[in-house]
Amino acid sequence: MIPRYARPDMVAIWSPETKFKIWYEIEAHACDAMADLGVIPRENADAVWKARDVEFDVARIDEIEAVTKHDVIAFLTHLAEHVGSEEARFVHQGMTSSDVLDTCLNVQLVRAADLLLVGMDKVLDALKKRALEHKDTVRVGRSHGIHAEPTTMGLTFARFYAEMDRNKNRLEKARGEVATGAISGAVGTFANIDPAVEEHVCEKLGLRPEPISTQVIPRDRHAMFFATLGVIASSIENIAVEIRHMQRTEVLEGAEFFSMGQKGSSAMPHKKNPVLTENLTGLARLVRMTVIPAMENVALWHERDISHSSVERGIGPDATVTLDFALHRLAGVIDKMLVFPENMLDNMNKFPGLVMSQRVLLALTQAGVSREDAYAMVQRNALKVWEERLDFRELLLADEAVVDALGVDAINEKFDMGYHTKHVDTIFKRVFGD
């Protein structure tokens, strides 16, 4: 996580100040619940709220931790400095450090997910706008990087929209799965704290009580969360790679917006490089890098160890901050992306008529020619287009076997571009609804 690829709102979720504020709220709400149960005096629970508006001194907590070698104890010591030692003596009653750490982490992940969902909506809005704009903009579809058959630029955007819409659904589910808290004490048995305390704290923080914790919240939840972020990152790269290919000089069917005063190369003034989408490809790798460690965190020793802790301190902010930045960058790229319809048609016509080969093949089989013979008839003409840049339709019209099987009018009819776009509206209704 570096400032170059970070947005302030997401960074703030992972700041020490935010973390300590959440820790405080967990402890204060727990005291309230214990006072309601008669476990601690009400005046002591109320006294904890004296620190409601305190900005906890991160440097002071670090100073205490340098001695205690324990971050939660350092925080509780600092809290007592604000509340008073006598008033704060029931804070953390029956709790263990993981109650605070795990519940806080999940609050942060839920808040991060909410920001990521905002970013996903921006990407979806941009993709839908460009899909509708270019619904009928014809371009050649490619398989293996080679011309295949006509499609439209709108379908390309719509395909990415559908993919991102699935990702939004996945993230909403992952958010729900990780939105649990645990205030269950040592080894998760509630021996020293009533389950009602956990229920109260979770309700106040927008979480659900973890059905069964082992002193830590099960890490399969977190593995699923980070795996979902990895899938979203891969979809970002999928879109970015398509744009990068489109911007290649030999293709130039689309390009990133090039702003006034922007420079593409320190050496070559003519350059317009796809730097934003190249950057998105790299950021996607960083997000995916967090997935395997999250999965390895699932297997902990017995009721708990802390092998997961150092990992999560890194991957929590790194994955969410990076993905948040990438989503907003991608939305901007799509929104401002330049599209060149004339180049799309020029590219398709570099091998005139060749993209209609399958339609001719099917027509021949429908006319009674065996598939093997039909394939040979079409291919021998298609190869001349590849090798000599001749016109496919003219070659077919000069091929007596093809003319005998189909006739001149039928051959000409097979080169109607509308044949390939006749179901675009149907696909759009499936993706976007009516």
Side-chain angles (χ1 to χ4, degrees), residues 57-72:
D57 188 336
V58 176
R60 174 58 182 153
I61 295 171
D62 289 344
E63 179 185 1
I64 299 170
E65 185 181 354
V67 177
T68 64
K69 304 296 191 293
H70 196 290
D71 53 355
V72 175

Side-chain angles (χ1 to χ4, degrees), residues 84-348:
S85 294
E86 176 60 27
E87 290 88 343
R89 67 191 177 98
F90 295 107
V91 173
H92 209 66
Q93 178 92 0
M95 295 169 61
T96 187
S97 298
S98 293
D99 292 334
V100 178
L101 296 171
D102 281 13
T103 302
C104 174
L105 173 62
N106 284 7
V107 169
Q108 290 173 301
L109 290 176
V110 166
R111 292 179 184 177
D114 288 339
L115 285 185
L116 292 172
L117 287 166
V118 171
M120 296 203 73
D121 282 339
K122 288 182 177 295
V123 171
L124 287 167
D125 288 345
L127 285 168
K128 183 176 182 179
K129 183 186 78 171
R130 302 313 300 269
L132 294 172
E133 179 186 352
H134 290 286
K135 184 175 74 169
D136 300 314
T137 302
V138 177
R139 68 185 291 235
V140 68
R142 297 170 173 88
S143 56
H144 307 277
I146 307 301
H147 283 198
E149 292 192 351
T151 182
T152 77
M153 190 64 213
L155 288 176
T156 300
F157 283 124
R159 169 166 57 89
F160 292 140
Y161 177 94
E163 183 174 343
M164 276 299 178
D165 192 48
R166 292 191 295 273
N167 283 329
K168 180 182 177 181
N169 182 258
R170 291 172 182 132
L171 182 56
E172 288 171 339
K173 290 180 179 178
R175 179 199 184 279
E177 188 167 335
V178 83
T180 66
I183 309 293
S184 53
V187 303
T189 61
F190 297 101
N192 297 301
I193 192 165
D194 195 291
V197 176
E198 179 183 77
E199 293 171 7
H200 178 80
V201 172
C202 288
E203 180 185 0
K204 291 297 183 180
L205 295 175
L207 305 176
R208 303 183 317 280
E210 180 61 46
I212 177 169
S213 58
T214 63
Q215 190 165 325
V216 295
I217 292 174
R219 256 46 193 185
D220 61 289
R221 295 184 181 276
H222 303 78
M224 191 65 229
F225 186 89
F226 286 97
T228 299
L229 301 192
V231 173
I232 295 170
S234 294
S235 293
I236 289 174
E237 183 178 14
N238 190 23
I239 300 171
V241 167
E242 178 67 21
I243 296 172
R244 289 168 60 192
H245 278 310
M246 291 178 70
Q247 191 164 337
R248 289 163 49 215
T249 307
E250 298 84 357
V251 179
L252 202 57
E253 294 180 359
E256 296 175 11
F257 177 76
F258 200 79
S259 62
M260 184 67 67
Q262 183 175 344
K263 304 293 189 292
S265 167
S266 63
M268 297 166 283
H270 72 277
K271 296 278 281 178
K272 288 186 176 183
N273 299 332
V275 292
L276 298 179
T277 45
E278 288 176 342
N279 170 249
L280 287 170
T281 295
L283 295 179
R285 294 169 184 167
L286 290 175
V287 176
R288 286 195 299 269
M289 184 175 67
T290 68
V291 176
I292 296 300
M295 291 186 174
E296 291 175 339
N297 280 350
V298 174
L300 302 177
W301 283 22
H302 305 299
E303 276 59 54
R304 76 164 294 209
D305 65 53
I306 63 165
S307 60
H308 64 287
S309 177
S310 57
V311 177
E312 289 168 351
R313 290 174 193 265
I315 68 174
D318 283 355
T320 56
V321 170
T322 303
L323 187 60
D324 175 67
F325 179 88
L327 285 168
H328 284 267
R329 168 155 286 184
L330 178 62
V333 168
I334 295 165
D335 189 58
K336 294 182 179 181
M337 180 181 169
L338 304 176
V339 176
F340 306 114
E342 291 183 2
N343 289 352
M344 292 177 180
L345 292 178
D346 287 344
N347 286 338
M348 188 156 20

